[in-house]
Amino acid sequence: MVGASFKRRDELREAQADEIEEALRKGELESGKGLNQELGLARAGDTRWGSHYKSFNNFILMFGPIIDVLDAIAVNARFEEKCRAKGYLRTCLAFEVVFMLHFMRNVLAITNDLNAAYQKKEQDIANAMLLVGVAKDRLQRLRDKGWNSLIDEVSEFCIKYDISIPKFDEFYVISGRSRRRVAEYTVLHHYQVYVFYQIIDWQRQELNNRFDEVTTDLLLGVSCLNPIDSFSHFDNEFHPDDFDKYSMVDLRFQLENYIVDVRDHDKRFSNLKGLCNLSKILVETKKHGTYPLVFRLVKFALLLPVATATVERVFSAMKLIKTDLRN
């Protein structure tokens, strides 16, 4: 609605500037260099979770200007665009949308640091794996103690923009049904159990599936192959499926030789900056032929994030053909 017209983009910028000026006048914002920068409505990507967090966050921060622009379009635009704008405006001013905006922003904020860590070119795998545990713990704390603070945050937002707040002790009316055909549970039960608890549980399950015990052990173990930390966490425990019982014996002795070699003898390995750099040096020094099983472990660590991202893109592309009509 906005991006197709330079005039509407300018209106959005002006509305955003007016809101910031009003907030500064009331003392709700601080002024200073680098503060209160102009925001944009970032389009969420199918394969980058971080983009969804940015989209939710910017939408909340720009909610007032967005409403102003939609309201202007609903009054001044052509009939078709006027109808679309009214529909978007009605949707934005619904409690359910406001609740989901704040809730999903809070959930994705928890995993945002984890996403950023795994998207870096040089990955610190040990710290990235710790962030998995941090994300799981914070999601559990949100589930246990975050409901009241979320409702307070959403209610304050609704009051600010004059959005109707439902009575939580009334029966929930399922969208698309007649108000005479209500659900057998309350509004509170719907939002707390069927939305709040369920989405957090889905997110925790997703993390458990992506970072199961085998994958975690493999990543942590392979990260110790980098001599930059003098193999301080090395415990000689590797159990990927690609090694049979005979290779496992060879691997153990190869690892011990590798550690002594690159730590105490070969100074070319003294200034590494991650596993990518390690793999290059192994090839350049031809030690990938000397320690082929160790080199295979390094390749596992480098390929695993790529394989995960590839699967994500495949499932995103399936949306083009896996439609309701096709089903």
Side-chain angles (χ1 to χ4, degrees):
M1 292 295 291
V2 177
S5 168
F6 286 107
K7 180 181 177 181
R8 290 174 189 169
R9 291 183 194 177
D10 291 338
E11 289 175 353
L12 184 63
R13 292 192 185 99
E14 291 172 5
Q16 190 177 346
D18 291 342
E19 185 176 71
I20 291 174
E21 184 178 347
E22 179 69 14
L24 288 170
R25 187 178 62 79
K26 292 180 179 179
E28 297 175 354
L29 291 176
E30 294 182 1
S31 60
K33 185 176 180 180
L35 298 179
N36 310 316
Q37 297 291 317
E38 181 181 289
L39 300 176
L41 287 174
R43 184 181 296 275
D46 288 333
T47 58
R48 294 178 74 91
W49 290 358
S51 66
H52 292 273
Y53 166 69
K54 184 177 180 181
S55 296
F56 282 122
N57 197 43
N58 284 10
F59 201 101
I60 292 171
L61 295 174
M62 298 174 61
F63 193 84
I66 290 171
I67 296 302
D68 292 342
V69 172
L70 286 176
D71 192 40
I73 295 173
V75 174
N76 302 319
R78 298 192 305 270
F79 178 75
E80 183 180 347
E81 290 188 336
K82 193 180 290 188
C83 293
R84 287 176 61 198
K86 287 181 179 179
Y88 290 145
L89 189 61
R90 185 167 53 251
T91 301
C92 288
L93 295 175
F95 175 84
E96 185 171 13
V97 169
V98 174
F99 177 87
M100 291 304 299
L101 277 172
H102 285 80
F103 175 45
M104 290 308 302
R105 191 267 306 268
N106 293 353
V107 169
L108 293 176
I110 291 174
T111 57
N112 193 51
D113 289 336
L114 176 63
N115 298 331
Y118 276 97
Q119 289 166 4
K120 290 180 180 178
K121 184 176 180 180
E122 295 294 344
Q123 295 181 351
D124 184 351
I125 293 181
N127 282 328
M129 294 308 301
L130 290 176
L131 286 174
V132 175
V134 171
K136 290 179 182 179
D137 288 345
R138 288 201 60 203
L139 285 170
Q140 187 61 47
R141 291 180 188 180
L142 178 65
R143 192 186 193 280
D144 295 338
K145 301 179 181 179
W147 170 255
N148 290 332
S149 60
L150 174 65
I151 288 299
D152 291 341
E153 183 182 13
V154 173
S155 299
E156 183 180 350
F157 189 88
C158 288
I159 292 171
K160 179 179 179 180
Y161 292 102
D162 197 23
I163 298 172
S164 177
I165 301 174
K167 295 181 179 179
F168 286 93
D169 56 350
E170 293 183 349
F171 285 105
Y172 178 73
V173 178
I174 300 174
S175 178
R177 289 189 179 184
S178 168
R179 296 194 64 85
R180 291 175 295 180
R181 299 180 60 188
V182 297
E184 297 179 353
Y185 46 83
T186 62
V187 173
L188 174 63
H189 186 85
H190 169 76
Y191 283 107
Q192 188 172 25
V193 177
Y194 291 137
V195 179
F196 185 76
Y197 289 157
Q198 195 168 76
I199 287 177
I200 293 175
D201 290 342
W202 282 344
Q203 187 78 329
R204 281 178 55 84
Q205 186 61 49
E206 183 74 10
L207 289 173
N208 288 331
N209 291 341
R210 289 175 181 270
F211 302 101
D212 58 17
E213 186 176 355
V214 174
T215 303
T216 301
D217 288 345
L218 175 61
L219 286 171
L220 287 175
V222 172
S223 68
C224 299
L225 294 175
N226 193 341
I228 196 169
D229 59 358
S230 299
F231 308 99
S232 57
H233 303 290
F234 184 77
D235 62 2
N236 204 14
E237 290 290 335
F238 294 100
H239 302 284
D241 294 336
D242 295 72
F243 294 96
D244 57 32
K245 63 180 181 179
Y246 304 106
S247 298
M248 288 299 296
V249 176
D250 294 336
L251 175 62
R252 181 164 62 88
F253 291 112
Q254 242 183 63
L255 284 168
E256 293 171 356
N257 289 339
Y258 162 81
I259 290 174
V260 174
D261 186 352
V262 302
R263 182 181 60 191
D264 302 332
H265 293 273
D266 198 332
K267 302 304 180 184
R268 292 173 293 182
F269 288 81
S270 58
N271 296 312
L272 295 180
K273 298 180 180 179
L275 285 176
C276 293
N277 193 211
L278 172 62
S279 65
K280 292 178 183 178
I281 299 297
L282 282 171
V283 174
E284 289 173 1
T285 59
K286 299 183 179 180
K287 289 188 185 293
H288 69 295
T290 307
Y291 308 112
L293 298 179
V294 175
F295 187 62
R296 189 187 301 180
L297 284 175
V298 175
K299 288 194 291 184
F300 283 152
L302 295 175
L303 287 173
L304 191 58
V306 177
T308 303
T310 302
V311 172
E312 280 289 313
R313 294 189 186 98
V314 169
F315 277 104
S316 297
M318 284 178 63
K319 293 179 182 177
L320 300 175
I321 58 174
K322 190 172 176 60
T323 62
D324 292 337
L325 182 61
R326 173 63 178 164
N327 290 341

